[in-house]
Amino acid sequence: MSKDFILPDIGEGIVECEIVEWLVAEGDSVKEDQPICDVMTDKALVQIPAVHDGVISKLYYAKGDIAKVHAPLFAMDVDGEAPSQSVETAEDAPVKPTSQTSTSGTQLEDFILPDIGEGIVECEIVEWLVSEGDEIIEDQAVCDVMTDKALVQIPAKYTGKVEKLYYKKGDIAAVHSPLFQMSIAGQSAEPDVSSAVVKAQSNAANKPAEKTAPKVEKQLNKKAVASPAVRRKARELDVDLTQVPGSGKNGRIYKQDIEDFLNQAPSQAVSQDTTPKASSSTSVGGSRVEPIKGIKAAMAKQMVASVSTIPHFTFCDEIDLTKLIAMRSELKGQYKQQGVKLTMMPFFIKALSLAIKQFPVLNSQVNDDCSELTYFDDHNIGMAVDSKIGLLVPNIKSCQSKSIVDVANEVTRLTEAARDGRVSPDDLKGGTISISNIGAIGGTIATPIINKPEVAIVALGKLQHLPRFDAQGNVISAAIMQVSWSGDHRVIDGGTIARFNNLWKSYLEDPAKMMMAMS
């Protein structure tokens, strides 16, 4: 079977490269990892290896041509798979390999699923928002896909008509492979493309759909919008999702919605075509197995990588927030009229950024063998959000150049997006230090795990009104919050994090000092 090799990401921000030298020719037999060609980006010379054993059937570019990232680079017959019947007729195909031509003379284009998050190689098709034959416009939402980090909406790149969906709802789609095909409005076929090439490329276009079998989920309806974890819970409880009112955006259903539905109308929630099951209250010695996947699996891997490679140490302190709470109370109503939701978090974030200016090592990253330390000018401060699809840590970019109001607006935007499961990949990338607000749920002291490759994280405890002594020795009520730092002991010593915390604490305990530092 002839397979296209999709040119992968070859550097941050690289979208194209020049073919410097082909190291093989059409008809050559190659082995896995054998160099196929040298390409030149605007940063470096990169060698592209083969990913399978087989025979090169087509080189889509000539030496000196400009190749596009995420587009086919060459095709090969993979060893052990039946050879394609259309390879010979496809030899005369035009250089633009992702374009095809229909028999009606319309230019067809495959939409290649782009990178949708750092380290993401595949995703599940949660919902198609269009059907084959639908007319769509540029930037219109085409489908929802679920990665192991978030629910992502894929938009159309052009205006035109959907010709083919390569995957069905529930299928796993691979990054850098065709997701759907469309005819682009205003484009017609190239006059020299033969019908044999059309047939060959149409056969090739059907391959992604042949490789994946649709998953059968009987109780699901196309109008039931829910994540894979929620649908799995519905299957376990024999709940028909089409009967469950969703509390999320566009009626999206969460686990809590299923529980509420069961509590309110259990007789309606149980599927009528299944055998009644024994009450869980009478079950003895039973067990169930639930796969760890999606965001939970990603978090598990990240946490294991962090604690197994980073020597953590924890530093705890308490902060008196009495003055800051009073100032926020005075400003809250004023900014609410302007549409600004002024919580405590923007002050924590901005004070952290101000302290980083004097302790830049807290905003650094160390390489794997601990031989280099990279300092970042931008303070991209992440905040852990306990969303309904799992723990997400979006970050606010360039906090050092934002006002508290700017930070507040970003906190609101990212929190709402995270709780709805729709944080963009860019918002999840590039964090340099993190805040975990565990106190919003409960608890005072924690031992947070560093969000590798960052070097520090702070956990905020719950706010408590406790007795303390004032300067005159009188007992007063103070708004106290415990904070717990974890630092990478390879690059941060105890004295450094203590002094850094003292500065951060001083900004929070004396808001006037923080305002002066911002000027």
Side-chain angles (χ1 to χ4, degrees), residues 350 353 377-381 395-403 407:
K350 189 59 187 180
S353 178
D377 294 333
D378 285 338
H379 305 166
N380 299 342
I381 300 178
N395 63 82
I396 300 172
K397 302 292 193 293
S398 303
C399 291
Q400 78 282 358
S401 59
K402 285 182 168 61
S403 68
V407 173

Side-chain angles (χ1 to χ4, degrees), residues 317-322 325 443-445 461-470 474-483:
D317 198 1
E318 68 174 38
I319 301 178
D320 185 346
L321 298 174
T322 305
I325 291 172
T444 55
I445 296 175
K462 68 180 181 180
L463 187 66
Q464 303 177 88
H465 290 277
L466 301 173
R468 291 293 185 268
F469 292 102
D470 64 13
N474 300 314
V475 177
I476 60 171
S477 175
I480 301 297
M481 176 180 285
Q482 305 288 336
V483 296

Side-chain angles (χ1 to χ4, degrees), residues 111 113 123-132 134 136 140-145 153-156 162 164-173 177-181 209 212 221-225 231 252:
F111 177 91
L113 182 60
C123 59
E124 178 180 349
I125 305 296
V126 174
E127 193 78 36
W128 282 107
L129 307 177
V130 298
S131 302
E132 292 181 0
D134 284 359
I136 59 176
Q140 178 179 337
V142 174
C143 67
D144 288 334
V145 300
Q153 200 163 76
I154 304 296
V162 177
K164 185 167 184 62
L165 306 179
Y166 287 131
Y167 298 94
K168 291 182 172 59
K169 179 179 177 179
D171 284 349
I172 303 299
S177 70
L179 184 65
F180 63 91
Q181 184 187 77
T212 55
N221 182 284
K222 289 184 179 179
K223 295 182 180 179
V225 183
R231 292 181 301 179
R252 182 165 299 282

